[in-house]
Amino acid sequence: MTKVFTTPTSLDRVRSPEMKDSVTAVEKILGYNFKNKKLLEEALTHPSYGSPSYKRLGLATLGDSALGHAVTNHFFCMADHPQFSEGQLTLLRSANVSNHKLACVAVHCGLYRYLRHNEPAFDDKIEEFIEALINGEEYVGFVEADEPKVLADIVESVAAAVYIELNFDLDKLWMKFKPLLEPIYTLENLRGHPMTILKEFCEKRGKRLDVLLRDETGNISTADVYVDGQLNGSGSAKRKSTAQCTAAQQAIQKLSQSMVVNNEGTAAGNGNSFRIEEAMQELNVRFEKKRLPKPDYKEEKKSGPPHSPKFVYSVKGVISDGTVKSVKGDEKSRIQYAKNSAAHKMILTLQEYDNVIKTKESDCVMA
């Protein structure tokens, strides 16, 4: 039987002098010195270059599989979350090894600088993607954005090279790559995202969800959302991710005409019907109906790295009896989500307060 992955020999040294500095730099990024440096050279080489590339051994495919397995193991073995459903694990794996997430990793850790290729369009596309990240266009989740696929390929290929060097030890691979993949997206990060809401809604009700992307004229992308084979939403935008979000929001709105969906993909009761992504609007409506001052929002906390900040907001309002109520929301990945979380908790607090008042009034009538 022929061995596909050979043990290190003198032939495994980097053959291209211009790659020596690149290999050394990538080793520093990874915190690992390769025995077979030629393997790393191939992992950094696109097929357009002409030399043996990551396509020769299928490194990108192997790396994609290994990282997906490692991420799944990470969440499956978490002591404080032993109850993940199969659908939730799928969501978490998809979000953490999506092409967009891996492309962001290639930029944040600097791997993109060491890609060897002869494709003129790559440099412009990569530069455009980096500029988009600088402008804050990094998406949490599994949307198909407009990142150059080659950036995800290089991360997967380098992961495969490390995996081979470590004798296919998944735990050791995760120890090396987890710092590069951070922040690791959790269910908390994904909640509030239209696609997450829609996916969990369909999963819990046994409905089939399909999202089809198509390119229109003028660099416009269109996303169509089908639930059980029926078109429920469409969105068009220059960026695929925006089109997907718009289509998902439209589908949620259509589905919610008969059943209201909250941020966990579950149905809310008829008496408390509102979607969490519209909690701020709902709270304003409730205050306006009672002719109360508009509620105030305040940033309580901002944490995390610059490329992936976390926010906590509180909301304060004066209710009918003159009492001032203040509620703090959960930590969220975007300001809008954080404000909606605070508004959602304020609405629940007011509902509970109203129930207490009604109970006291009922008791007085009976007395």
Side-chain angles (χ1 to χ4, degrees):
M1 182 177 177
T2 305
K3 292 178 68 176
V4 178
F5 306 110
T6 58
T7 54
T9 67
S10 59
L11 295 177
D12 294 324
R13 292 176 297 180
V14 179
R15 294 174 298 177
S16 305
E18 70 273 14
M19 283 296 290
K20 287 185 178 180
D21 291 341
S22 295
V23 166
T24 301
V26 172
E27 286 179 330
K28 288 182 179 178
I29 291 172
L30 299 171
Y32 178 79
N33 290 322
F34 277 76
K35 302 179 184 69
N36 186 349
K37 297 185 186 296
K38 179 174 171 290
L39 180 62
L40 179 55
E41 180 184 357
E42 288 191 17
L44 297 171
T45 304
H46 185 264
S48 64
Y49 192 78
S51 298
S53 69
Y54 54 71
K55 289 284 187 182
R56 185 179 73 89
L57 297 176
L59 292 179
T61 302
L62 175 62
D64 175 48
S65 177
L67 288 176
H69 193 177
V71 167
T72 303
N73 281 357
H74 168 71
F75 286 105
F76 189 81
C77 298
M78 287 178 68
D80 55 339
H81 283 95
Q83 71 284 3
F84 283 129
S85 68
E86 182 179 349
Q88 287 174 328
L89 286 173
T90 301
L91 287 175
L92 291 166
R93 181 182 67 244
S94 299
N96 283 288
V97 294
S98 68
N99 285 338
H100 181 76
K101 172 65 183 274
L102 295 183
C104 292
V105 169
V107 171
H108 293 324
C109 72
L111 271 178
Y112 75 95
R113 296 188 181 97
Y114 309 107
L115 170 66
R116 185 167 62 165
H117 67 89
N118 276 331
E119 186 62 54
F122 279 175
D123 291 333
D124 290 339
K125 289 182 178 179
I126 292 172
E127 186 175 339
E128 183 180 338
F129 180 67
I130 293 173
E131 187 174 343
L133 292 187
I134 293 173
N135 292 332
E137 297 183 27
E138 183 168 344
Y139 299 92
V140 176
F142 29 74
V143 294
E144 184 174 338
D146 300 309
E147 71 285 329
K149 176 66 166 59
V150 68
L151 291 179
D153 286 344
I154 191 176
V155 174
E156 292 167 345
S157 300
V158 170
V162 174
Y163 189 40
I164 294 167
E165 279 267 315
L166 296 174
N167 294 320
F168 304 94
D169 190 317
L170 204 62
D171 291 335
K172 290 182 178 178
L173 172 68
W174 183 242
M175 288 176 64
K176 291 295 179 185
F177 258 79
K178 182 174 180 288
L180 300 182
L181 294 175
E182 289 179 342
I184 305 297
Y185 297 147
T186 64
L187 288 178
E188 184 62 28
N189 298 130
L190 301 182
R191 288 192 177 111
H193 191 291
M195 282 300 298
T196 307
I197 296 171
L198 190 58
K199 278 176 177 283
E200 292 192 351
F201 173 82
C202 291
E203 180 201 342
K204 291 184 178 183
R205 285 158 185 78
K207 296 180 179 294
R208 190 180 82 253
L209 173 64
D210 298 300
V211 181
L212 303 181
L213 287 165
R214 46 194 170 89
D215 293 326
E216 305 287 356
T217 56
N219 295 323
I220 297 296
S221 295
T222 297
D224 295 324
V225 171
Y226 291 84
V227 178
D228 283 344
Q230 183 177 354
L231 180 65
N232 278 266
S234 283
S236 297
K238 287 186 176 181
R239 297 189 67 82
K240 294 177 183 178
S241 53
T242 305
Q244 279 182 285
C245 286
T246 302
Q249 286 173 334
Q250 201 176 99
I252 291 169
Q253 188 168 2
K254 185 173 182 179
L255 291 169
S256 68
Q257 289 175 357
S258 58
M259 182 175 291
V260 178
V261 183
N262 68 18
N263 72 316
E264 296 181 352
T266 58
N270 291 333
N272 305 324
S273 295
F274 64 92
R275 294 189 297 276
I276 194 168
E277 66 266 27
E278 295 178 355
M280 289 176 65
Q281 181 181 347
E282 174 67 21
L283 186 61
N284 286 339
V285 169
R286 295 185 182 216
F287 271 62
E288 286 173 3
K289 282 183 178 179
K290 296 181 179 181
R291 297 184 178 181
L292 297 172
K294 196 174 181 179
D296 293 322
Y297 294 87
K298 178 184 176 183
E299 183 180 283
E300 297 288 344
K301 180 184 175 184
K302 181 178 179 181
S303 59
H307 64 273
S308 183
K310 301 288 182 65
F311 304 93
V312 175
Y313 266 74
S314 65
V315 60
K316 182 172 67 173
V318 180
I319 61 176
S320 301
D321 63 358
T323 306
V324 177
K325 293 284 185 183
S326 180
V327 178
K328 186 186 293 185
D330 296 324
E331 188 178 73
K332 299 291 181 180
S333 58
R334 295 189 182 182
I335 292 175
Q336 185 73 10
Y337 296 166
K339 288 183 176 180
N340 274 325
S341 174
H344 173 243
K345 289 196 172 186
M346 174 64 90
I347 292 172
L348 296 180
T349 299
L350 295 178
Q351 288 172 348
E352 184 178 349
Y353 178 82
D354 289 343
N355 289 336
V356 171
I357 296 298
K358 288 177 182 178
T359 301
K360 288 183 177 179
E361 289 175 349
S362 177
D363 290 342
C364 288
V365 170
M366 291 179 67

